[in-house]
Amino acid sequence: MSDPTRPRGPKIIAVANQKGGVGKTTTTINLGAALAEAGQKVLIIDLDPQGNASTGLGIDASDRELTTYELLLEEIDLSEVVQETAFDNLLIVPATVDLSSADMELIATEKRSFLLHDALRQTAMDDYAIDYILIDCPPSLNLLTVNAMVAAHSVLVPLQSEFFALEGLSQLMLTIREVRQTANPNLRIEGVVLTMFDARNNLSSQVEQDARDNLGALVFQTRIPRNVRVSEAPSYAVPVLQYDSASKGAQAYRDLARELMSNQTRAAA
Ligand SMILES: Nc1ncnc2c1ncn2[C@@H]1O[C@H](COP(=O)(O)OP(=O)(O)O)[C@@H](O)[C@H]1O
Ligand SMILES: [Mg+2]
């Protein structure tokens, strides 16, 4: 069900925030699953040496011989690193801790910020007919995250609904601006999504108000509630949409997917 108004090839979205524990990986996995459930073909790139997206989608450590590291630094063909997950239409390039040395090795490489960009535009990509690529970034604004921003059409920012949530956003926006000025002038901000939202908690509402006051229409209408099913799903190695399809968390990620897809229609119109 690819959108005929969209330019050829997948839409590439970097899921980024240099803070750890804000819901990047959770959003990558479950937004990916929700898009896949809606009939889109989705590829997740695990760009975090912690490999949480890979683990959360059931890729055993023993099945990670060829990973994002090889994709970036050994110019290996996509078909050798892409793996299926237990969820229909949802593919992944897994990561291991090897990727932590990639940041240093990238510095020594001439085209250091374009490696992921080039890897995702190799002709083998056409064979997969991917609609969306979601890149799960590490909790840092290092060269790996810059690679994601150079490769991407847009950045999606999970914002945890807690105190100091907006702190650090200006640093992230600055990095986006720098990438625009140097390597990727068309990089957009897809949106900021409030995660782990608790409607009964005044603090959550206050963070939402602050975010909407400061960022306006960039903030998605959809909020992802704090939901224990969301945090349990990775230990069963499946998205929450599969673990507990009717849970509030699963529903919220479906809403986010719908909002994202209509975003895109708006952007194309
Ligand atoms: N909506 C949610 N409800 C409950 N727990 C969540 C939710 N989103 C994320 N978590 C939990 O918060 C922790 C951090 O989330 P994670 O996605 O790993 O963050 P990041 O990738 O930004 O470091 C994880 O233990 C995850 O299970
Ligand atoms: Mg993560």
Side-chain angles (χ1 to χ4, degrees), residues 20-26 196 224-227 230-231:
V22 299
K24 288 181 291 297
T25 300
T26 305
M196 295 177 247
I224 309 299
R226 185 176 282 285
N227 174 227
V230 171
S231 56

mmCIF file of all heavy atoms in Angstrom, residues 20-26 196 224-227 230-231, ligand 1:
data_model
loop_
_atom_site.group_PDB
_atom_site.id
_atom_site.type_symbol
_atom_site.label_atom_id
_atom_site.label_comp_id
_atom_site.label_asym_id
_atom_site.label_seq_id
_atom_site.Cartn_x
_atom_site.Cartn_y
_atom_site.Cartn_z
ATOM 1 N N GLY A 20 18.991 9.353 27.563
ATOM 2 C CA GLY A 20 18.660 7.932 27.613
ATOM 3 C C GLY A 20 17.329 7.736 28.335
ATOM 4 O O GLY A 20 16.909 8.581 29.124
ATOM 5 N N GLY A 21 16.664 6.645 28.030
ATOM 6 C CA GLY A 21 15.471 6.262 28.780
ATOM 7 C C GLY A 21 14.233 7.098 28.515
ATOM 8 O O GLY A 21 13.317 7.123 29.314
ATOM 9 N N VAL A 22 14.182 7.774 27.370
ATOM 10 C CA VAL A 22 13.025 8.632 27.083
ATOM 11 C C VAL A 22 11.983 7.937 26.193
ATOM 12 O O VAL A 22 10.918 8.494 25.940
ATOM 13 C CB VAL A 22 13.444 9.970 26.418
ATOM 14 C CG1 VAL A 22 14.351 10.762 27.349
ATOM 15 C CG2 VAL A 22 14.109 9.735 25.066
ATOM 16 N N GLY A 23 12.312 6.741 25.707
ATOM 17 C CA GLY A 23 11.352 6.009 24.884
ATOM 18 C C GLY A 23 11.708 5.933 23.401
ATOM 19 O O GLY A 23 10.837 5.636 22.575
ATOM 20 N N LYS A 24 12.972 6.148 23.061
ATOM 21 C CA LYS A 24 13.379 6.030 21.650
ATOM 22 C C LYS A 24 13.154 4.618 21.118
ATOM 23 O O LYS A 24 12.504 4.417 20.087
ATOM 24 C CB LYS A 24 14.873 6.370 21.473
ATOM 25 C CG LYS A 24 15.234 7.834 21.619
ATOM 26 C CD LYS A 24 16.718 8.070 21.405
ATOM 27 C CE LYS A 24 17.585 7.493 22.498
ATOM 28 N NZ LYS A 24 17.371 8.080 23.825
ATOM 29 N N THR A 25 13.737 3.655 21.834
ATOM 30 C CA THR A 25 13.667 2.279 21.347
ATOM 31 C C THR A 25 12.225 1.762 21.367
ATOM 32 O O THR A 25 11.764 1.122 20.410
ATOM 33 C CB THR A 25 14.584 1.381 22.204
ATOM 34 O OG1 THR A 25 15.919 1.876 22.089
ATOM 35 C CG2 THR A 25 14.528 -0.063 21.757
ATOM 36 N N THR A 26 11.527 2.073 22.441
ATOM 37 C CA THR A 26 10.131 1.655 22.563
ATOM 38 C C THR A 26 9.296 2.232 21.423
ATOM 39 O O THR A 26 8.448 1.543 20.838
ATOM 40 C CB THR A 26 9.581 2.131 23.927
ATOM 41 O OG1 THR A 26 10.435 1.630 24.963
ATOM 42 C CG2 THR A 26 8.165 1.668 24.150
ATOM 43 N N MET A 196 5.464 8.089 27.956
ATOM 44 C CA MET A 196 5.268 7.784 29.388
ATOM 45 C C MET A 196 4.393 8.836 30.058
ATOM 46 O O MET A 196 4.653 9.278 31.173
ATOM 47 C CB MET A 196 6.619 7.635 30.086
ATOM 48 C CG MET A 196 7.394 6.439 29.549
ATOM 49 S SD MET A 196 9.033 6.247 30.256
ATOM 50 C CE MET A 196 10.056 6.583 28.819
ATOM 51 N N ILE A 224 1.753 9.077 24.252
ATOM 52 C CA ILE A 224 1.915 7.665 24.608
ATOM 53 C C ILE A 224 1.823 7.548 26.127
ATOM 54 O O ILE A 224 2.655 8.104 26.838
ATOM 55 C CB ILE A 224 3.280 7.108 24.128
ATOM 56 C CG1 ILE A 224 3.517 7.407 22.636
ATOM 57 C CG2 ILE A 224 3.361 5.615 24.433
ATOM 58 C CD1 ILE A 224 2.502 6.797 21.689
ATOM 59 N N PRO A 225 0.802 6.862 26.640
ATOM 60 C CA PRO A 225 0.654 6.782 28.094
ATOM 61 C C PRO A 225 1.695 5.859 28.716
ATOM 62 O O PRO A 225 2.207 4.954 28.060
ATOM 63 C CB PRO A 225 -0.747 6.171 28.252
ATOM 64 C CG PRO A 225 -0.949 5.357 27.021
ATOM 65 C CD PRO A 225 -0.220 6.086 25.918
ATOM 66 N N ARG A 226 2.012 6.104 29.971
ATOM 67 C CA ARG A 226 2.786 5.121 30.724
ATOM 68 C C ARG A 226 1.894 3.893 30.896
ATOM 69 O O ARG A 226 0.752 4.003 31.335
ATOM 70 C CB ARG A 226 3.184 5.701 32.081
ATOM 71 C CG ARG A 226 4.083 4.796 32.873
ATOM 72 C CD ARG A 226 4.531 5.448 34.170
ATOM 73 N NE ARG A 226 5.596 6.427 33.988
ATOM 74 C CZ ARG A 226 6.867 6.112 33.743
ATOM 75 N NH1 ARG A 226 7.230 4.839 33.615
ATOM 76 N NH2 ARG A 226 7.774 7.048 33.592
ATOM 77 N N ASN A 227 2.389 2.757 30.479
ATOM 78 C CA ASN A 227 1.558 1.554 30.443
ATOM 79 C C ASN A 227 2.462 0.347 30.666
ATOM 80 O O ASN A 227 3.413 0.130 29.908
ATOM 81 C CB ASN A 227 0.851 1.499 29.068
ATOM 82 C CG ASN A 227 0.055 0.225 28.843
ATOM 83 O OD1 ASN A 227 0.155 -0.408 27.803
ATOM 84 N ND2 ASN A 227 -0.749 -0.168 29.807
ATOM 85 N N VAL A 230 3.519 -1.977 27.871
ATOM 86 C CA VAL A 230 4.568 -1.488 26.961
ATOM 87 C C VAL A 230 5.944 -1.903 27.474
ATOM 88 O O VAL A 230 6.803 -2.343 26.704
ATOM 89 C CB VAL A 230 4.491 0.055 26.820
ATOM 90 C CG1 VAL A 230 5.704 0.602 26.071
ATOM 91 C CG2 VAL A 230 3.206 0.458 26.102
ATOM 92 N N SER A 231 6.139 -1.788 28.784
ATOM 93 C CA SER A 231 7.468 -2.109 29.331
ATOM 94 C C SER A 231 7.690 -3.615 29.468
ATOM 95 O O SER A 231 8.823 -4.074 29.505
ATOM 96 C CB SER A 231 7.675 -1.416 30.679
ATOM 97 O OG SER A 231 6.645 -1.756 31.573
HETATM 98 N N1 LIG B 1 4.859 4.078 27.446
HETATM 99 C C1 LIG B 1 5.626 3.428 28.343
HETATM 100 N N2 LIG B 1 5.080 2.884 29.452
HETATM 101 C C2 LIG B 1 5.853 2.232 30.356
HETATM 102 N N3 LIG B 1 7.167 2.074 30.224
HETATM 103 C C3 LIG B 1 7.779 2.584 29.145
HETATM 104 C C4 LIG B 1 7.043 3.294 28.140
HETATM 105 N N4 LIG B 1 7.909 3.696 27.184
HETATM 106 C C5 LIG B 1 9.120 3.256 27.565
HETATM 107 N N5 LIG B 1 9.060 2.599 28.740
HETATM 108 C C6 LIG B 1 10.182 1.990 29.477
HETATM 109 O O1 LIG B 1 11.123 3.006 29.779
HETATM 110 C C7 LIG B 1 12.452 2.504 29.645
HETATM 111 C C8 LIG B 1 13.222 3.361 28.645
HETATM 112 O O2 LIG B 1 12.620 3.246 27.363
HETATM 113 P P1 LIG B 1 13.502 3.087 26.044
HETATM 114 O O3 LIG B 1 12.564 3.004 24.902
HETATM 115 O O4 LIG B 1 14.479 1.971 26.206
HETATM 116 O O5 LIG B 1 14.276 4.470 26.036
HETATM 117 P P2 LIG B 1 15.555 4.937 25.155
HETATM 118 O O6 LIG B 1 15.626 4.067 23.966
HETATM 119 O O7 LIG B 1 15.275 6.374 24.850
HETATM 120 O O8 LIG B 1 16.732 4.786 26.056
HETATM 121 C C9 LIG B 1 12.317 1.064 29.211
HETATM 122 O O9 LIG B 1 12.426 0.235 30.330
HETATM 123 C C10 LIG B 1 10.914 0.974 28.635
HETATM 124 O O10 LIG B 1 10.351 -0.316 28.756
#
